[in-house]
Amino acid sequence: METAVSVKEAFSLGLPVEVENIDKELGRLWEESGDNQTRASHINLVVYTEDWSAMEHNTEIIRQIAENHACRAILICAEPASKVDKVQAWINAHCHTFHSENRTVCSEQITFRMEGDTVNTLPNIVFSHLDSDLPLYFWWQGEFPLNFKSELWSWIDRLIFDSHLWKIPTNHFDLLSKIQDEASERIILCDLTWTRLLGSRFALAQIFDHQGALAELGKITEVTIQHAPHHRTTACFMLGWLAAQLDWELHSILGKHSFRSKDGREILVNLKEQEGACISLYHLASPDASFELQREVGSDFFHATIKLPDRVPVEVALKADRERITDTLLQEIVRGGKHPLYLKALKKIGPLFH
């Protein structure tokens, strides 16, 4: 059983402090907290946004993350268009009591509001407040500035972003390729859109574990994916995963898209937008069989239907994707590792983003 408690809190972001006194004030914060609380950190987690209204929500996300994965959190709101050049800072601690172990573990949070030209000091702000030599996870919220060049990239271990939020994904994917080159491939690209699809990929794989289903996989001629508004990129990545796994190649003529298998079979693609879950329907069909995953809004499960020739249809419930941003982010942080299939899927579907 865990109970979340705040060491000291003036308001949602914590205690306002002068930038030059951050380390001193953090030390004082721990002196006042008592001997029963332990400061802990497994990673440095930087969260960057250009939306000040998001800071309270980001603080809540960090509080929830800290319950499961202790970290040094640095929240940054950059406002380059501001006519005022100013930096403000706050400190906070997210503490969670583990009654079974009779101990309280705390994660630190440092928050910055950077206005005007002070945004140019972003790398210095980040570097000077990292916790020792722990890995740096950098969550960039929203769109990347396409002309942004920074020594930051060479320091980041995992660059976290969410491609389904981008208006013109192609521009950003091109930028990410350049970032990875500049960072000498040290940086691992972590797209939350891809992470969010882990449940879908696993559920589809489970369907074809069913007796008789695997034989139909090499005969698929139609793929339909029904997605919520603003989640077309999510649907495209699922297509990319299928194409990468089954060695399909994309063909686009006059705005119509289809895939072709190695043996020349055409696979028709249909992406449908409809209110509902992020992905509410996957439908794969061969001439003699069909495989379907349906999900209702708020459900934690897919309803799977398997129809094979000369057999009674099979219906099962399969675990669905996690849609809450905290769950998706925590999944990315805890699982770690590289994402080789992500880049393969992206290569398969590049033209779909034009």
Side-chain angles (χ1 to χ4, degrees), residues 264-285:
R265 174 172 34 91
E266 184 179 31
I267 300 97
L268 300 178
V269 172
N270 184 19
L271 299 180
K272 299 169 60 177
E273 180 179 306
Q274 183 168 313
E275 294 288 346
C278 171
I279 301 292
S280 55
L281 173 70
Y282 295 105
H283 179 87
L284 282 67

Side-chain angles (χ1 to χ4, degrees), residues 336-351:
K338 297 184 178 181
H339 298 296
L341 282 179
Y342 172 75
L343 296 177
K344 290 181 180 179
L346 178 58
K347 186 177 180 180
K348 291 286 186 181
I349 56 174

Side-chain angles (χ1 to χ4, degrees), residues 172-191:
H172 295 285
F173 289 131
D174 290 343
L175 176 64
L176 287 172
S177 179
K178 295 177 182 178
I179 289 174
Q180 195 162 45
D181 289 341
E182 291 176 10
S184 300
E185 297 188 355
R186 163 184 172 162
I187 199 169
I188 297 174
L189 303 180
C190 306
D191 190 342

Side-chain angles (χ1 to χ4, degrees), residues 40-329:
S41 182
H42 300 303
I43 61 170
N44 292 291
L45 176 58
V46 177
V47 183
Y48 176 93
T49 182
E50 295 185 359
D51 180 7
W52 177 248
S53 66
M55 297 302 279
E56 185 170 354
H57 182 233
N58 286 344
T59 296
E60 174 59 21
I61 290 176
I62 294 300
R63 186 193 68 77
Q64 294 177 30
I65 292 293
E67 290 185 31
N68 299 278
H69 204 77
C71 62
R72 160 70 69 89
I74 302 174
L75 271 59
I76 298 172
C77 179
E79 301 175 62
S82 175
K83 296 180 180 180
V84 178
D85 297 335
K86 183 171 64 174
V87 179
Q88 296 171 272
W90 295 260
I91 59 172
N92 201 352
H94 302 287
C95 298
H96 305 278
T97 300
F98 297 82
H99 295 294
S100 60
E101 302 176 23
N102 194 29
R103 66 190 180 102
T104 299
V105 177
C106 301
S107 294
E108 295 174 340
Q109 174 182 316
I110 308 172
T111 303
F112 295 96
R113 184 175 190 175
M114 308 176 68
E115 301 177 72
D117 289 341
T118 65
V119 172
N120 297 325
T121 67
L122 173 63
N124 293 334
I125 286 289
V126 172
F127 298 152
S128 60
H129 294 95
L130 296 179
D131 192 353
S132 65
D133 59 352
L134 295 174
L136 173 56
Y137 290 29
F138 199 112
W139 181 17
W140 192 292
Q141 295 182 338
E143 306 214 0
F144 289 103
L146 300 183
N147 60 350
F148 185 75
K149 294 183 179 180
S150 174
E151 61 270 33
L152 263 178
W153 309 132
S154 61
W155 286 77
I156 296 173
D157 294 283
R158 303 182 75 81
L159 179 60
I160 302 171
F161 52 92
D162 202 342
S163 62
H164 97 268
L165 300 172
W166 299 339
K167 295 178 181 178
I168 307 177
T170 303
N171 292 340
H172 295 285
F173 289 131
D174 290 343
L175 176 64
L176 287 172
S177 179
K178 295 177 182 178
I179 289 174
Q180 195 162 45
D181 289 341
E182 291 176 10
S184 300
E185 297 188 355
R186 163 184 172 162
I187 199 169
I188 297 174
L189 303 180
C190 306
D191 190 342
L192 296 180
T193 296
W194 180 254
T195 307
R196 198 176 287 115
L197 285 171
L198 182 62
S200 289
R201 304 199 304 269
F202 189 63
L204 273 179
Q206 283 182 291
I207 281 182
F208 288 97
D209 284 340
H210 188 80
Q211 186 177 13
L214 188 59
E216 298 295 328
L217 186 56
K219 304 175 186 178
I220 295 297
T221 55
E222 178 187 343
V223 177
T224 298
I225 301 179
Q226 188 169 284
H227 61 88
H230 311 299
H231 275 280
R232 185 177 184 274
T233 298
T234 310
C236 286
F237 266 113
M238 198 62 189
L239 281 175
W241 176 74
L242 284 168
Q245 296 296 84
L246 300 174
D247 204 14
W248 297 343
E249 293 297 332
L250 181 65
H251 287 252
S252 300
I253 301 177
L254 299 177
K256 294 185 178 180
H257 306 290
S258 65
F259 287 93
R260 289 195 183 277
S261 63
K262 283 295 184 180
D263 60 6
R265 174 172 34 91
E266 184 179 31
I267 300 97
L268 300 178
V269 172
N270 184 19
L271 299 180
K272 299 169 60 177
E273 180 179 306
Q274 183 168 313
E275 294 288 346
C278 171
I279 301 292
S280 55
L281 173 70
Y282 295 105
H283 179 87
L284 282 67
S286 69
D288 300 313
S290 66
F291 309 89
E292 194 165 274
L293 294 175
Q294 286 186 304
R295 183 184 190 181
E296 299 294 334
V297 175
S299 175
D300 292 330
F301 294 91
F302 286 118
H303 177 253
T305 304
I306 304 168
K307 295 181 179 179
L308 296 168
D310 302 321
R311 298 195 183 189
V312 176
V314 176
E315 298 187 9
V316 294
L318 298 172
K319 190 69 175 175
D321 308 303
R322 298 179 179 182
E323 293 194 342
R324 198 174 65 127
I325 186 62
T326 304
D327 292 334
T328 305
L329 182 62

Side-chain angles (χ1 to χ4, degrees), residues 7 27-39 95 104 106:
V7 174
R28 181 180 299 175
L29 188 69
W30 294 118
E31 287 178 3
E32 295 176 356
S33 66
D35 296 333
N36 64 327
Q37 294 175 335
T38 303
R39 184 182 73 86
C95 298
T104 299
C106 301

Side-chain angles (χ1 to χ4, degrees), residues 12-32:
S12 62
L13 296 181
L15 297 172
V17 297
E18 297 296 328
V19 174
E20 61 271 19
N21 293 331
I22 288 177
D23 289 339
K24 178 181 177 181
E25 293 299 329
L26 280 173
R28 181 180 299 175
L29 188 69
W30 294 118
E31 287 178 3
E32 295 176 356

